[in-house]
């Protein structure tokens, strides 16, 4: 057990304005492609293929559809939150639709000031109309390439990589891990597992993780979101996860005394000592019930204790969020300043599944100058 005080790293020097937050360079490690569609795109693609949406007339009123996603995902349960994906996955079954969604994703992230993103989705969910797993990855990559090209043509700069997710309740993780390795030099940076956590421990997919380790590949695991410490422990100590998707329940292993003293249990100490990145997604956690509110979200404590905290969107459509919105909410709830936003951004870039020299280049050439321009 470790004892230490929960003193902040340093006082936040200033309160950033919404415009400063939007202009600040951002790094996004945890964003689902099928959770980030524009409402208008869901409506148009659904109309094209005759998929029935829960909101009639959504093409004419995409905002109403956006509200439906947000409200339905606001369920307090991960299982019910995940039910909303049936409508986004349904409209992402052709190369054209996949490429469009991927291109728009890149454009939306760049508009939000994101300079590096790893965007994940489960290829096995996009083969209902006969595409092969390879076709799916190729279509998404084409969309990403087009999006990056469009951003560059408009004078911007963004780097985007795919993470391939396997669904934890299914049994295709080995195939998806092999797919990630096959595409590793063509836009895929790593692997993940997602889906309902309770009852589906990461060790169910141990063969896939062991294969990836032998291939010197990278992976993150959704763990410690809807389920607690045992899931995090398996993800790290059995499966060898490089990062934790959410990982927010690590606070169950942190004890804060009335006098402000803090004791870390063995697992929390290990996560902090080894600098395992936490892909925290505050708005999503409030919707699924993992946190009661942003103000009560453990990110404040985890930042003060200097865990390797990163800030993420998870599902921009279901949470009606963006990186700027997530950061602004933290500014408001915890009084974070630009120094804190810069810290989580550099934490995220250090934790990316990109080669070391490319990470450094983005930190030195994009992130630091971008914050310096804001006076930080
Ligand atoms: O926060 C999440 N936890 C677990 N699974 C999730 C979360 N957000 C999205 N997913 C699932 C639903 C998607 O269809 C799938 C692949 O992106 O991943
Ligand atoms: Zn997620």
């Amino acid at each position: 057990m470790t004892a230490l005080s929960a003193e902040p790293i340093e006082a936040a020097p200033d309160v950033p304005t919404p415009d400063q937050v939007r202009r600040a360079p951002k790094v996004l490690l945890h964003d689902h492609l099928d959770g980030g569609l524009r409402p208008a795109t869901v409506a148009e693609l659904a109309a094209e293929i005759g998929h029935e949406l829960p909101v009639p007339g959504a093409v004419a009123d995409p905002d109403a559809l956006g509200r439906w996603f947000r409200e339905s995902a606001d369920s307090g349960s991960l299982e019910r939150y995940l039910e909303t994906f049936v409508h986004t996955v349904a409209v992402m079954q052709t190369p054209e639709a996949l490429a469009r969604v991927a291109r728009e994703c890149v454009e939306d992230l760049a508009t939000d000031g994101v300079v590096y993103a790893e965007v994940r989705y489960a290829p096995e969910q996009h083969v209902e109309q006969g595409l092969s797993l390879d076709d799916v990855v190729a279509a998404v990559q084409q969309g990403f390439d087009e999006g990056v090209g469009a951003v560059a043509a408009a004078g911007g700069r963004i780097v985007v990589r795919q993470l391939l997710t396997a669904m934890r309740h299914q049994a295709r993780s080995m195939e998806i891990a092999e797919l990630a390795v096959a595409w590793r030099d063509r836009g895929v940076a790593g692997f993940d597992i997602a889906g309902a956590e309770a009852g589906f421990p990461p060790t169910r997919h141990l063969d896939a993780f062991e294969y990836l380790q032998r291939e010197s590949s990278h992976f993150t695991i959704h763990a410690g979101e809807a389920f607690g410490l045992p899931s995090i422990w398996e993800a790290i100590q059995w499966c060898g996860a490089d990062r934790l998707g959410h990982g927010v329940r690590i606070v169950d292993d942190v004890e804060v005394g009335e006098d402000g003293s803090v004791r870390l249990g063995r697992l929390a100490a290990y996560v902090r000592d080894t600098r395992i990145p936490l892909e925290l997604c505050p708005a999503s956690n409030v919707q699924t019930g993992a946190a009661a509110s942003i103000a009560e979200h453990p990110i404040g404590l985890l930042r003060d204790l200097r865990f390797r905290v990163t800030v993420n969107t998870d599902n921009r459509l279901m949470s009606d969020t963006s990186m700027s919105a997530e950061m602004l909410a933290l500014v408001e709830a915890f009084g974070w300043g630009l120094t804190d936003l810069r810290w989580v951004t550099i934490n995220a870039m250090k934790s990316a599944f990109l080669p070391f020299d490319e990470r450094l280049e983005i930190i030195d050439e994009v992130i630091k100058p971008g914050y310096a321009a804001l006076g930080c």
Side-chain angles (χ1 to χ4, degrees), residues 32 34 78 82 85 121-122 125 167 194-195 222 225 246 314-315:
H32 292 257
D34 53 328
L78 177 59
L82 293 176
F85 285 80
Y121 65 99
Q125 298 192 125
M167 298 309 290
H222 275 77
E225 175 189 20
H246 296 281
D314 209 12
N315 298 292

Side-chain angles (χ1 to χ4, degrees), residues 27-49:
V27 172
L28 176 50
L29 300 180
H30 190 133
D31 187 79
H32 292 257
L33 186 65
D34 53 328
L37 289 77
R38 299 173 185 170
T41 299
V42 181
E44 286 169 28
L45 292 175
E48 275 174 27
I49 60 168

